[in-house]
mmCIF file of all heavy atoms in Angstrom:
data_model
loop_
_atom_site.group_PDB
_atom_site.id
_atom_site.type_symbol
_atom_site.label_atom_id
_atom_site.label_comp_id
_atom_site.label_asym_id
_atom_site.label_seq_id
_atom_site.Cartn_x
_atom_site.Cartn_y
_atom_site.Cartn_z
ATOM 1 N N LEU V 621 0.828 -1.225 -0.066
ATOM 2 C CA LEU V 621 0.018 0.051 -0.023
ATOM 3 C C LEU V 621 0.814 1.303 -0.034
ATOM 4 O O LEU V 621 0.605 2.276 -0.681
ATOM 5 C CB LEU V 621 -0.942 -0.012 1.269
ATOM 6 C CG LEU V 621 -2.074 -1.018 1.330
ATOM 7 C CD1 LEU V 621 -2.819 -0.851 2.617
ATOM 8 C CD2 LEU V 621 -2.938 -0.879 0.128
ATOM 9 N N TRP V 622 1.953 1.277 0.764
ATOM 10 C CA TRP V 622 2.834 2.436 0.829
ATOM 11 C C TRP V 622 3.633 2.543 -0.460
ATOM 12 O O TRP V 622 4.038 3.687 -0.812
ATOM 13 C CB TRP V 622 3.725 2.411 2.017
ATOM 14 C CG TRP V 622 2.935 2.570 3.243
ATOM 15 C CD1 TRP V 622 2.516 1.645 4.223
ATOM 16 C CD2 TRP V 622 2.318 3.718 3.717
ATOM 17 N NE1 TRP V 622 1.755 2.226 5.176
ATOM 18 C CE2 TRP V 622 1.584 3.595 4.922
ATOM 19 C CE3 TRP V 622 2.309 5.120 3.167
ATOM 20 C CZ2 TRP V 622 0.877 4.608 5.595
ATOM 21 C CZ3 TRP V 622 1.555 6.121 3.835
ATOM 22 C CH2 TRP V 622 0.894 5.892 4.985
ATOM 23 N N THR V 623 3.963 1.357 -1.095
ATOM 24 C CA THR V 623 4.674 1.557 -2.447
ATOM 25 C C THR V 623 3.684 2.133 -3.340
ATOM 26 O O THR V 623 4.112 3.067 -4.172
ATOM 27 C CB THR V 623 4.956 0.105 -2.879
ATOM 28 O OG1 THR V 623 5.801 -0.522 -1.977
ATOM 29 C CG2 THR V 623 5.666 0.201 -4.227
ATOM 30 N N ILE V 624 2.383 1.780 -3.385
ATOM 31 C CA ILE V 624 1.423 2.398 -4.261
ATOM 32 C C ILE V 624 1.264 3.879 -3.967
ATOM 33 O O ILE V 624 1.174 4.732 -4.782
ATOM 34 C CB ILE V 624 0.073 1.690 -4.097
ATOM 35 C CG1 ILE V 624 0.231 0.291 -4.604
ATOM 36 C CG2 ILE V 624 -1.067 2.525 -4.741
ATOM 37 C CD1 ILE V 624 -1.025 -0.629 -4.350
ATOM 38 N N ASN V 625 1.313 4.197 -2.632
ATOM 39 C CA ASN V 625 1.298 5.559 -2.216
ATOM 40 C C ASN V 625 2.441 6.412 -2.802
ATOM 41 O O ASN V 625 2.187 7.550 -3.421
ATOM 42 C CB ASN V 625 1.359 5.679 -0.667
ATOM 43 C CG ASN V 625 1.569 7.113 -0.150
ATOM 44 O OD1 ASN V 625 2.611 7.649 0.043
ATOM 45 N ND2 ASN V 625 0.373 7.754 0.142
ATOM 46 N N GLY V 626 3.598 5.896 -2.852
ATOM 47 C CA GLY V 626 4.799 6.639 -3.428
ATOM 48 C C GLY V 626 4.653 6.776 -4.908
ATOM 49 O O GLY V 626 4.996 7.744 -5.521
ATOM 50 N N VAL V 627 4.251 5.715 -5.570
ATOM 51 C CA VAL V 627 4.050 5.642 -7.044
ATOM 52 C C VAL V 627 3.109 6.697 -7.424
ATOM 53 O O VAL V 627 3.235 7.487 -8.387
ATOM 54 C CB VAL V 627 3.734 4.327 -7.610
ATOM 55 C CG1 VAL V 627 3.365 4.350 -9.033
ATOM 56 C CG2 VAL V 627 4.847 3.394 -7.381
ATOM 57 N N LEU V 628 1.853 6.699 -6.711
ATOM 58 C CA LEU V 628 0.826 7.694 -7.042
ATOM 59 C C LEU V 628 1.292 9.119 -6.852
ATOM 60 O O LEU V 628 0.896 10.001 -7.670
ATOM 61 C CB LEU V 628 -0.383 7.387 -6.139
ATOM 62 C CG LEU V 628 -1.381 6.278 -6.720
ATOM 63 C CD1 LEU V 628 -2.429 6.150 -5.594
ATOM 64 C CD2 LEU V 628 -1.951 6.721 -7.929
ATOM 65 N N ILE V 629 2.048 9.417 -5.828
ATOM 66 C CA ILE V 629 2.503 10.779 -5.585
ATOM 67 C C ILE V 629 3.406 11.216 -6.780
ATOM 68 O O ILE V 629 3.280 12.408 -7.209
ATOM 69 C CB ILE V 629 3.295 10.871 -4.282
ATOM 70 C CG1 ILE V 629 2.351 10.731 -3.006
ATOM 71 C CG2 ILE V 629 4.035 12.104 -4.204
ATOM 72 C CD1 ILE V 629 2.974 10.603 -1.723
ATOM 73 N N PHE V 630 4.142 10.292 -7.281
ATOM 74 C CA PHE V 630 5.021 10.748 -8.399
ATOM 75 C C PHE V 630 4.240 10.697 -9.789
ATOM 76 O O PHE V 630 4.224 11.780 -10.486
ATOM 77 C CB PHE V 630 6.144 9.733 -8.582
ATOM 78 C CG PHE V 630 7.196 10.114 -9.635
ATOM 79 C CD1 PHE V 630 7.914 11.191 -9.566
ATOM 80 C CD2 PHE V 630 7.242 9.334 -10.817
ATOM 81 C CE1 PHE V 630 8.963 11.473 -10.580
ATOM 82 C CE2 PHE V 630 8.110 9.618 -11.832
ATOM 83 C CZ PHE V 630 8.885 10.643 -11.665
ATOM 84 N N ALA V 631 3.526 9.619 -10.068
ATOM 85 C CA ALA V 631 2.873 9.520 -11.298
ATOM 86 C C ALA V 631 1.482 10.296 -11.388
ATOM 87 O O ALA V 631 1.000 10.567 -12.501
ATOM 88 C CB ALA V 631 2.444 8.048 -11.578
ATOM 89 N N GLY V 632 1.011 10.694 -10.240
ATOM 90 C CA GLY V 632 -0.325 11.389 -10.320
ATOM 91 C C GLY V 632 -0.213 12.831 -10.398
ATOM 92 O O GLY V 632 -1.241 13.654 -10.237
ATOM 93 N N GLN V 633 0.972 13.409 -10.617
ATOM 94 C CA GLN V 633 1.115 14.923 -10.724
ATOM 95 C C GLN V 633 0.373 15.482 -11.787
ATOM 96 O O GLN V 633 -0.159 16.640 -11.655
ATOM 97 C CB GLN V 633 2.611 15.186 -10.765
ATOM 98 C CG GLN V 633 3.417 14.945 -9.471
ATOM 99 C CD GLN V 633 2.865 15.688 -8.194
ATOM 100 O OE1 GLN V 633 2.611 16.826 -8.273
ATOM 101 N NE2 GLN V 633 2.677 14.842 -7.131
ATOM 102 N N PRO V 634 0.329 14.909 -12.999
ATOM 103 C CA PRO V 634 -0.500 15.518 -14.098
ATOM 104 C C PRO V 634 -1.994 15.656 -13.695
ATOM 105 O O PRO V 634 -2.598 16.709 -13.945
ATOM 106 C CB PRO V 634 -0.338 14.610 -15.244
ATOM 107 C CG PRO V 634 0.980 13.956 -15.044
ATOM 108 C CD PRO V 634 1.108 13.778 -13.569
ATOM 109 N N LEU V 635 -2.504 14.605 -13.065
ATOM 110 C CA LEU V 635 -3.887 14.616 -12.642
ATOM 111 C C LEU V 635 -4.080 15.651 -11.524
ATOM 112 O O LEU V 635 -5.064 16.411 -11.568
ATOM 113 C CB LEU V 635 -4.333 13.237 -12.164
ATOM 114 C CG LEU V 635 -5.790 13.108 -11.573
ATOM 115 C CD1 LEU V 635 -6.764 13.530 -12.654
ATOM 116 C CD2 LEU V 635 -6.064 11.663 -11.110
ATOM 117 N N LEU V 636 -3.113 15.741 -10.676
ATOM 118 C CA LEU V 636 -3.196 16.800 -9.602
ATOM 119 C C LEU V 636 -3.208 18.083 -10.131
ATOM 120 O O LEU V 636 -3.958 19.009 -9.569
ATOM 121 C CB LEU V 636 -1.973 16.568 -8.586
ATOM 122 C CG LEU V 636 -2.011 17.527 -7.449
ATOM 123 C CD1 LEU V 636 -3.139 17.246 -6.497
ATOM 124 C CD2 LEU V 636 -0.668 17.437 -6.689
ATOM 125 N N ALA V 637 -2.380 18.444 -11.165
ATOM 126 C CA ALA V 637 -2.320 19.758 -11.791
ATOM 127 C C ALA V 637 -3.698 20.074 -12.406
ATOM 128 O O ALA V 637 -4.150 21.171 -12.336
ATOM 129 C CB ALA V 637 -1.334 19.788 -12.824
ATOM 130 N N TYR V 638 -4.381 19.052 -12.951
ATOM 131 C CA TYR V 638 -5.714 19.257 -13.573
ATOM 132 C C TYR V 638 -6.707 19.550 -12.445
ATOM 133 O O TYR V 638 -7.547 20.459 -12.645
ATOM 134 C CB TYR V 638 -6.077 18.005 -14.273
ATOM 135 C CG TYR V 638 -7.440 18.095 -15.037
ATOM 136 C CD1 TYR V 638 -7.680 18.766 -16.159
ATOM 137 C CD2 TYR V 638 -8.597 17.423 -14.429
ATOM 138 C CE1 TYR V 638 -8.823 18.808 -16.842
ATOM 139 C CE2 TYR V 638 -9.794 17.472 -15.013
ATOM 140 C CZ TYR V 638 -9.977 18.121 -16.248
ATOM 141 O OH TYR V 638 -11.222 18.252 -16.837
ATOM 142 N N ILE V 639 -6.659 18.937 -11.348
ATOM 143 C CA ILE V 639 -7.500 19.132 -10.213
ATOM 144 C C ILE V 639 -7.363 20.482 -9.723
ATOM 145 O O ILE V 639 -8.338 21.286 -9.414
ATOM 146 C CB ILE V 639 -7.369 18.088 -9.126
ATOM 147 C CG1 ILE V 639 -7.789 16.719 -9.587
ATOM 148 C CG2 ILE V 639 -8.108 18.485 -7.812
ATOM 149 C CD1 ILE V 639 -7.420 15.642 -8.606
ATOM 150 N N VAL V 640 -6.109 20.977 -9.576
ATOM 151 C CA VAL V 640 -5.795 22.293 -8.905
ATOM 152 C C VAL V 640 -6.329 23.455 -9.895
ATOM 153 O O VAL V 640 -6.562 24.436 -9.430
ATOM 154 C CB VAL V 640 -4.228 22.370 -8.746
ATOM 155 C CG1 VAL V 640 -3.796 23.891 -8.422
ATOM 156 C CG2 VAL V 640 -3.726 21.528 -7.604
ATOM 157 N N LYS V 641 -6.473 23.145 -11.139
ATOM 158 C CA LYS V 641 -7.033 24.158 -12.041
ATOM 159 C C LYS V 641 -8.459 24.610 -11.565
ATOM 160 O O LYS V 641 -8.961 25.682 -11.802
ATOM 161 C CB LYS V 641 -7.089 23.609 -13.497
ATOM 162 C CG LYS V 641 -5.700 23.703 -14.104
ATOM 163 C CD LYS V 641 -5.833 23.133 -15.596
ATOM 164 C CE LYS V 641 -4.414 23.149 -16.238
ATOM 165 N NZ LYS V 641 -4.503 22.646 -17.673
ATOM 166 N N PHE V 642 -9.202 23.615 -11.052
ATOM 167 C CA PHE V 642 -10.595 23.855 -10.618
ATOM 168 C C PHE V 642 -10.712 24.305 -9.132
ATOM 169 O O PHE V 642 -11.644 24.960 -8.844
ATOM 170 C CB PHE V 642 -11.384 22.498 -10.814
ATOM 171 C CG PHE V 642 -11.571 22.150 -12.246
ATOM 172 C CD1 PHE V 642 -10.720 21.268 -12.842
ATOM 173 C CD2 PHE V 642 -12.608 22.689 -13.023
ATOM 174 C CE1 PHE V 642 -10.919 20.888 -14.191
ATOM 175 C CE2 PHE V 642 -12.830 22.390 -14.310
ATOM 176 C CZ PHE V 642 -11.955 21.459 -14.962
ATOM 177 N N PHE V 643 -9.726 23.887 -8.378
ATOM 178 C CA PHE V 643 -9.610 24.382 -6.979
ATOM 179 C C PHE V 643 -8.397 25.181 -6.824
ATOM 180 O O PHE V 643 -7.438 24.858 -6.292
ATOM 181 C CB PHE V 643 -9.563 23.141 -6.056
ATOM 182 C CG PHE V 643 -10.717 22.247 -6.132
ATOM 183 C CD1 PHE V 643 -10.895 21.216 -7.077
ATOM 184 C CD2 PHE V 643 -11.821 22.440 -5.275
ATOM 185 C CE1 PHE V 643 -11.893 20.441 -7.115
ATOM 186 C CE2 PHE V 643 -12.917 21.670 -5.283
ATOM 187 C CZ PHE V 643 -13.030 20.611 -6.258
ATOM 188 N N LYS V 644 -8.556 26.460 -7.274
ATOM 189 C CA LYS V 644 -7.338 27.308 -7.432
ATOM 190 C C LYS V 644 -6.889 27.883 -6.150
ATOM 191 O O LYS V 644 -5.669 27.928 -5.967
ATOM 192 C CB LYS V 644 -7.645 28.485 -8.491
ATOM 193 C CG LYS V 644 -7.897 28.056 -9.844
ATOM 194 C CD LYS V 644 -8.080 29.150 -10.797
ATOM 195 C CE LYS V 644 -8.223 28.785 -12.264
ATOM 196 N NZ LYS V 644 -8.402 29.909 -13.139
ATOM 197 N N SER V 645 -7.689 28.358 -5.312
ATOM 198 C CA SER V 645 -7.221 28.787 -4.030
ATOM 199 C C SER V 645 -6.746 27.708 -3.047
ATOM 200 O O SER V 645 -7.148 26.523 -3.128
ATOM 201 C CB SER V 645 -8.383 29.612 -3.321
ATOM 202 O OG SER V 645 -9.334 28.601 -2.852
ATOM 203 N N LEU V 646 -5.747 28.033 -2.239
ATOM 204 C CA LEU V 646 -5.256 27.092 -1.306
ATOM 205 C C LEU V 646 -6.293 26.621 -0.320
ATOM 206 O O LEU V 646 -6.272 25.432 0.024
ATOM 207 C CB LEU V 646 -4.034 27.726 -0.536
ATOM 208 C CG LEU V 646 -2.764 27.985 -1.417
ATOM 209 C CD1 LEU V 646 -1.779 28.772 -0.598
ATOM 210 C CD2 LEU V 646 -2.145 26.663 -1.899
ATOM 211 N N SER V 647 -7.153 27.498 0.129
ATOM 212 C CA SER V 647 -8.185 27.056 1.028
ATOM 213 C C SER V 647 -9.151 26.005 0.357
ATOM 214 O O SER V 647 -9.489 25.038 1.033
ATOM 215 C CB SER V 647 -9.079 28.273 1.479
ATOM 216 O OG SER V 647 -9.605 28.918 0.426
ATOM 217 N N SER V 648 -9.556 26.186 -0.933
ATOM 218 C CA SER V 648 -10.403 25.199 -1.567
ATOM 219 C C SER V 648 -9.654 23.876 -1.711
ATOM 220 O O SER V 648 -10.249 22.756 -1.590
ATOM 221 C CB SER V 648 -10.828 25.670 -2.924
ATOM 222 O OG SER V 648 -9.725 25.836 -3.742
ATOM 223 N N GLN V 649 -8.255 23.871 -1.922
ATOM 224 C CA GLN V 649 -7.546 22.594 -1.973
ATOM 225 C C GLN V 649 -7.498 21.960 -0.596
ATOM 226 O O GLN V 649 -7.505 20.754 -0.605
ATOM 227 C CB GLN V 649 -6.191 22.969 -2.409
ATOM 228 C CG GLN V 649 -6.102 23.418 -3.871
ATOM 229 C CD GLN V 649 -4.697 24.000 -4.320
ATOM 230 O OE1 GLN V 649 -3.671 23.573 -3.775
ATOM 231 N NE2 GLN V 649 -4.641 24.924 -5.180
ATOM 232 N N MET V 650 -7.462 22.722 0.437
ATOM 233 C CA MET V 650 -7.445 22.111 1.811
ATOM 234 C C MET V 650 -8.859 21.565 2.106
ATOM 235 O O MET V 650 -8.948 20.379 2.681
ATOM 236 C CB MET V 650 -7.227 23.236 2.873
ATOM 237 C CG MET V 650 -5.808 23.781 2.815
ATOM 238 S SD MET V 650 -5.557 25.180 4.025
ATOM 239 C CE MET V 650 -4.213 25.968 3.350
ATOM 240 N N TYR V 651 -9.860 22.103 1.705
ATOM 241 C CA TYR V 651 -11.289 21.597 1.809
ATOM 242 C C TYR V 651 -11.356 20.248 1.132
ATOM 243 O O TYR V 651 -11.876 19.269 1.635
ATOM 244 C CB TYR V 651 -12.330 22.507 1.317
ATOM 245 C CG TYR V 651 -12.381 23.906 1.963
ATOM 246 C CD1 TYR V 651 -12.815 24.986 1.212
ATOM 247 C CD2 TYR V 651 -12.012 24.035 3.215
ATOM 248 C CE1 TYR V 651 -12.954 26.229 1.847
ATOM 249 C CE2 TYR V 651 -12.115 25.312 3.923
ATOM 250 C CZ TYR V 651 -12.524 26.431 3.174
ATOM 251 O OH TYR V 651 -12.598 27.699 3.790
#
């Protein structure tokens, strides 16, 4: 599970960048 955690953190950056486009403020990202 922790191996998957590490792989996702690295490989999931493009998806994360896409998500952040919709949740632009830092507070909305925290929510």
Side-chain angles (χ1 to χ4, degrees):
L621 293 178
W622 289 108
T623 303
I624 292 169
N625 173 271
V627 170
L628 274 177
I629 288 170
F630 182 72
Q633 291 303 310
L635 178 58
L636 182 67
Y638 181 77
I639 293 172
V640 168
K641 286 182 181 179
F642 293 95
F643 296 86
K644 292 184 178 181
S645 70
L646 289 172
S647 56
S648 65
Q649 292 169 32
M650 292 176 205
Y651 300 150

